[in-house]
Amino acid sequence: MKQETHAFQTEVKQMLHLIIHSLYSNKEIFLRELISNASDAIDKLRFKSQTEPEILGKDTDFYIRIRPDKEKKTLVIEDNGIGMSFEEAVENLGTIAKSGTAGFMEALEATRKEGLLTPELIGQFGVGFYSSFIVAEKVVVESRAAGAEKGVRWESEGSGEYSVAEIEKEDRGTRITLFLKEGEEGDLSFTEEWTIKDIIKRHSDFIAYPILMETDSYEPVPEEEQEKDEEGKAKETMRKVRKDETLNSMKAIWARKKEDVKEEEYTEFYRHISKNWDEPADKLHLHLEGAVEYDVLLFIPSKAPFDLFQRDRRHGLHLYCKRVFVMDDCKELLPEYLGFIHGVVDAPDLDLNVSREILQQNSLVRNIRKNIVKRVFDLLSKMEEDAYLSFWKEFGPMLKAGIPTDFDNKEKIAGLLRYPTTKSGEKLKGLKEYVENMAEGQEAIYYLSGENLSALINSPHLEALKAKDYEVLLMTDPVDEWVVDSLREFEGKPLKSAEKGDLELEKPSEEVAESFKGLFEFIQKELDEDVKEVKASARLKESVACLSADAFAMSAFMEKVMQASGQEMPKQKRVLELNTAHPVLERLKERFTADPAAPSMKDWALMLFDLAVVSEGGRIENPSRFSRMVGELMAENLSGSR
């Protein structure tokens, strides 16, 4: 039979050390995690059996069994789920499979430094199995995959290596044996029946399959087996026996009435399906009737998962039919931008054999999806503002992605957007509040996008808008570029970039523009490779120069985002706007009028362009020339001062 020994990777050894020592005060989580894994294994088997019914054989009564043994100091958790093959044992138990060891280590270290509890990371990173080593000095896993002929034994002491070997195993499923630690690090209370019952009642009561454990109970002694005394009376009418006791209620929490479910029950169920340890920010529990009938229990997480923006991230919705698990990661019931929501949808009218392809075309599913999305928006819009801002901090970028992807709901999503503004500072403000507080005569919602808030607040593009007391939304998230491109307006007010197009504010008079015509034509000629046009600015009040773009052109921030993503961008010529009321422009016009061919005029033209680039946080092409000219200006100015 095949047998192999593998060394844990260095990162896995470090991870095990951190789990064991960081979560020591939360030791009992290991049992919750192992029971949850067993439940998932049965779910997977039931789903697979919908298309391969023969895979079940005669073993159709699903269970999870707990076997404590005080004398041997062991605890066994067993299930008759889908099981594992030799290769799956190596993949699933020998590494931190799909989540990434490095990601787990970084997140765990970060929470340790902040002094936070870290049990939620166990579930989020799919490393719940490793929590066994919090209480066990050795772990042995024996498993046989459904439909396989051979079983596998995985064994490790959680230190340097693990061994894997083929074995004979009669039944399908997985049996995990924990050899519990003794001494100061040990806790043999996990062999006590009352301890196990208490943990399961608090953390795993809603598991859909019976969690069985042999316990003491009493039963009547049959009359024919009773011993009689001299008077013919039975010496013992009751006797103690060992019988299987079901430790969990197995009630589908989503099918119960809201008033019958305690908050702690909601919290534990959320932790089970989300693999988190924190409490949900909010929940939605519905029983909907009408043309179709279905139950919904959804949770808004309080913290964003580590893989929120990873492409292969799994959705949090589980689909059931008449309380029978159909599939997890059900993307068809919620749009991608709401995929962070965890929960269950139980639709009795669905076919148990439904496939993802059928779900995409199913009118019932489309109806459920439409209603769920509507209810989620209602829930978010009714949250207290402080609670909502906490949610927005975690999931705002995800929600924004719905604007360009969900045309039917973009107005509702727009009402949920929050941004800092020129008047609110870092305090976030919604579009509705912005519109309600628009200045007299203001007809548009103004915004400016860029890399950081400080640069945006001090941008020269805002000078004329600030002078008119117009508030401006400040956007630093790359996805905001797609948001404003798709939204265009809110409550009848157009969204207008502070750096693009004509702001329709007070413009320099035609007489002033004409007086600078010769100078501007000269500057245009000198900067022809970089500048599309040179014109008098309606944006500037204090600064001498800025760069702007046409109304439908790409913003400077968007150009940077695209370049950072590795996309080759054709060079964009922008408009150089100059402040004709600035003393520098007045002096420059005088010099140009006096001597248009002066060699220094070319340097001044380049200087104006560099100033405009620097003012928006850009990189100038010739910083040494810019530095030289600034130095010369300082020397010239200082020579005439005391």
Side-chain angles (χ1 to χ4, degrees):
M1 292 214 181
K2 186 160 59 171
Q3 184 169 344
E4 298 175 359
T5 298
H6 297 266
F8 280 123
Q9 292 176 339
T10 302
E11 293 86 352
V12 177
K13 281 190 265 186
Q14 293 173 346
M15 177 271 298
L16 283 167
H17 177 81
L18 285 170
I19 286 178
I20 293 167
H21 293 89
S22 298
L23 304 179
Y24 187 78
S25 60
N26 301 92
K27 289 184 290 185
E28 67 184 41
I29 71 166
F30 84 91
L31 188 55
R32 185 199 79 161
E33 293 297 328
L34 294 183
I35 289 173
S36 181
N37 289 349
S39 174
D40 290 345
I42 299 173
D43 278 345
K44 290 174 183 176
L45 179 65
R46 293 186 74 181
F47 180 57
K48 192 171 184 179
S49 70
Q50 302 304 315
T51 53
E52 302 176 41
E54 70 282 356
I55 203 170
L56 295 179
K58 296 179 180 179
D59 187 8
T60 57
D61 293 328
F62 301 110
Y63 66 85
I64 300 168
R65 182 176 290 280
I66 312 292
R67 299 182 193 273
D69 191 318
K70 289 183 182 180
E71 293 184 5
K72 294 181 179 179
K73 302 179 180 63
T74 60
L75 181 64
V76 175
I77 297 93
E78 186 176 10
D79 68 73
N80 61 343
I82 199 162
M84 288 181 288
S85 65
F86 187 99
E87 291 74 20
E88 287 169 335
V90 172
E91 180 184 354
N92 296 337
L93 305 182
T95 62
I96 305 181
K98 299 174 183 177
S99 304
T101 308
F104 177 83
M105 296 292 291
E106 290 170 7
L108 189 53
E109 282 290 0
T111 54
R112 288 179 77 226
K113 288 176 182 176
E114 294 172 9
L116 303 173
L117 293 175
T118 56
E120 66 275 7
L121 295 176
I122 290 288
Q124 279 191 16
F125 282 82
V127 294
F129 167 75
Y130 294 109
S131 63
S132 306
F133 290 101
I134 298 173
V135 297
E137 60 184 13
K138 183 171 76 171
V139 178
V140 176
V141 180
E142 296 169 300
S143 188
R144 199 189 90 189
E149 296 181 0
K150 298 285 185 181
V152 59
R153 177 190 285 117
W154 183 98
E155 184 174 334
S156 178
E157 294 179 359
S159 53
E161 60 186 29
Y162 60 92
S163 62
V164 194
E166 280 187 342
I167 61 170
E168 298 291 340
K169 188 175 185 293
E170 291 184 10
D171 47 358
R172 173 196 74 226
T174 300
R175 179 168 56 249
I176 301 175
T177 304
L178 308 182
F179 293 83
L180 299 174
K181 295 176 182 177
E182 299 183 64
E184 291 184 7
E185 291 188 2
D187 191 341
L188 297 180
S189 68
F190 294 112
T191 61
E192 299 285 349
E193 291 179 2
W194 68 268
T195 300
I196 294 169
K197 287 181 179 180
D198 177 63
I199 294 171
I200 289 172
K201 190 66 180 174
R202 285 187 289 114
H203 297 308
S204 306
D205 188 58
F206 46 79
I207 293 292
Y209 310 106
I211 303 173
L212 306 175
M213 183 172 68
E214 272 196 0
T215 59
D216 290 334
S217 63
Y218 290 87
E219 66 177 16
V221 179
E223 191 170 344
E224 63 272 16
E225 295 180 21
Q226 292 178 359
E227 289 186 39
K228 309 287 184 177
D229 60 17
E230 294 178 356
E231 298 178 1
K233 293 182 179 180
K235 291 182 178 180
E236 197 175 58
T237 58
M238 300 292 290
R239 63 185 176 190
K240 185 165 70 172
V241 294
R242 298 286 289 176
K243 279 189 174 182
D244 277 346
E245 180 182 349
T246 301
L247 306 183
N248 58 320
S249 67
M250 295 185 292
K251 294 178 181 177
I253 190 171
W254 61 85
R256 293 160 58 186
K257 294 180 179 179
K258 285 190 288 187
E259 55 267 27
D260 296 336
V261 183
K262 298 177 181 177
E263 283 301 317
E264 52 265 33
E265 291 180 290
Y266 279 125
T267 299
E268 286 305 327
F269 183 70
Y270 162 74
R271 289 171 175 171
H272 167 66
I273 60 170
S274 69
K275 309 300 183 187
N276 289 334
W277 194 260
D278 57 341
E279 295 190 5
D282 214 331
K283 64 180 181 300
L284 185 66
H285 191 177
L286 303 168
H287 175 74
L288 297 170
E289 297 178 336
V292 293
E293 181 178 340
Y294 51 95
D295 292 295
V296 176
L297 178 55
L298 305 181
F299 296 94
I300 308 292
S302 54
K303 295 290 181 182
F306 75 100
D307 61 348
L308 183 63
F309 297 106
Q310 291 184 11
R311 186 166 295 181
D312 59 352
R313 179 184 58 84
R314 296 176 68 82
H315 270 44
L317 276 199
H318 297 239
L319 179 62
Y320 283 74
C321 175
K322 299 175 183 175
R323 305 184 193 181
V324 175
F325 174 79
V326 175
M327 68 177 70
D328 58 5
D329 188 30
C330 192
K331 295 179 172 66
E332 292 73 21
L333 289 171
L334 273 180
E336 185 75 24
Y337 65 88
L338 293 177
F340 57 84
I341 293 174
H342 293 283
V344 167
V345 175
D346 191 338
D349 295 329
L350 273 180
D351 186 345
L352 274 173
N353 293 319
V354 69
S355 67
R356 292 194 182 276
E357 291 73 22
I358 294 173
L359 282 178
Q360 291 171 1
Q361 307 299 324
N362 191 294
S363 59
L364 169 61
V365 171
R366 288 198 297 269
N367 182 280
I368 294 174
R369 175 183 170 121
K370 183 178 179 180
N371 281 328
I372 290 177
V373 171
K374 179 181 181 299
R375 301 289 183 136
V376 168
F377 286 139
D378 289 344
L379 177 68
L380 293 175
S381 63
K382 292 175 182 176
M383 288 176 72
E384 293 290 333
E385 187 64 12
D386 287 345
Y388 181 75
L389 289 176
S390 295
F391 159 80
W392 179 260
K393 180 181 176 182
E394 299 291 327
F395 299 103
M398 193 78 173
L399 200 60
K400 290 175 187 177
I403 295 283
T405 59
D406 188 351
F407 179 81
D408 292 337
N409 290 300
K410 72 176 183 179
E411 288 294 327
K412 292 179 181 177
I413 302 171
L416 296 170
L417 299 176
R418 296 292 186 273
Y419 291 103
T421 76
T422 48
K423 291 186 177 181
S424 69
E426 294 187 5
K427 182 178 178 295
L428 303 185
K429 184 175 287 191
L431 297 186
K432 187 175 182 62
E433 184 182 357
Y434 176 100
V435 170
E436 289 173 350
N437 292 283
M438 284 171 60
E440 186 177 350
Q442 183 179 344
E443 297 297 330
I445 299 171
Y446 292 100
Y447 69 88
L448 184 64
S449 61
E451 292 181 86
N452 65 78
L453 198 57
S454 176
L456 291 180
I457 290 174
N458 296 291
S459 171
H461 294 100
L462 305 181
E463 291 173 359
L465 293 169
K466 287 179 179 178
K468 294 185 75 67
D469 197 32
Y470 287 0
E471 191 170 20
V472 182
L473 303 173
L474 305 174
M475 302 179 173
T476 57
D477 187 346
V479 76
D480 287 324
E481 293 288 339
W482 284 273
V483 169
V484 294
D485 188 54
S486 302
L487 189 58
R488 299 295 176 90
E489 67 172 39
F490 179 78
E491 293 190 352
K493 301 292 184 181
L495 270 72
K496 194 169 185 61
S497 170
E499 68 159 318
K500 295 198 297 183
D502 189 348
L503 293 186
E504 298 176 359
L505 302 175
E506 296 175 12
K507 300 178 182 179
S509 66
E510 291 184 11
E511 184 180 346
V512 170
E514 184 64 28
S515 70
F516 280 89
K517 183 178 179 181
L519 175 62
F520 284 5
E521 287 176 349
F522 170 81
I523 295 173
Q524 170 74 59
K525 182 179 178 181
E526 294 299 324
L527 302 176
D528 192 56
E529 290 187 8
D530 300 299
V531 170
K532 178 182 178 180
E533 180 186 356
V534 178
K535 70 176 185 179
S537 178
R539 285 178 169 83
L540 301 174
K541 290 293 183 181
E542 298 171 359
S543 300
V544 65
C546 73
L547 291 169
S548 64
D550 292 335
F552 299 103
M554 186 179 296
S555 70
F557 184 43
M558 182 64 162
E559 189 173 1
K560 288 181 182 178
V561 170
M562 301 298 280
Q563 289 172 344
S565 67
Q567 298 192 44
E568 290 189 15
M569 301 296 299
K571 185 171 183 178
Q572 280 200 123
K573 287 187 177 183
R574 300 170 70 198
V575 177
L576 177 63
E577 296 194 11
L578 299 175
N579 183 359
T580 54
H582 199 284
V584 165
L585 263 293
E586 288 289 346
R587 297 286 298 276
L588 202 56
K589 185 178 70 169
E590 291 173 6
R591 290 199 180 188
F592 178 77
T593 303
D595 185 5
S600 61
M601 289 305 302
K602 181 176 181 179
D603 285 340
W604 291 120
L606 293 170
M607 181 74 158
L608 288 172
F609 179 73
D610 286 347
L611 284 171
V613 173
V614 169
S615 71
E616 63 181 19
R619 296 178 62 182
I620 55 181
E621 290 186 8
N622 193 339
S624 62
R625 183 193 67 218
F626 182 75
S627 177
R628 173 180 57 79
M629 291 193 66
V630 170
E632 290 174 357
L633 280 172
M634 291 177 67
E636 181 181 338
N637 188 59
L638 289 170
S639 65
S641 63
R642 294 182 180 179

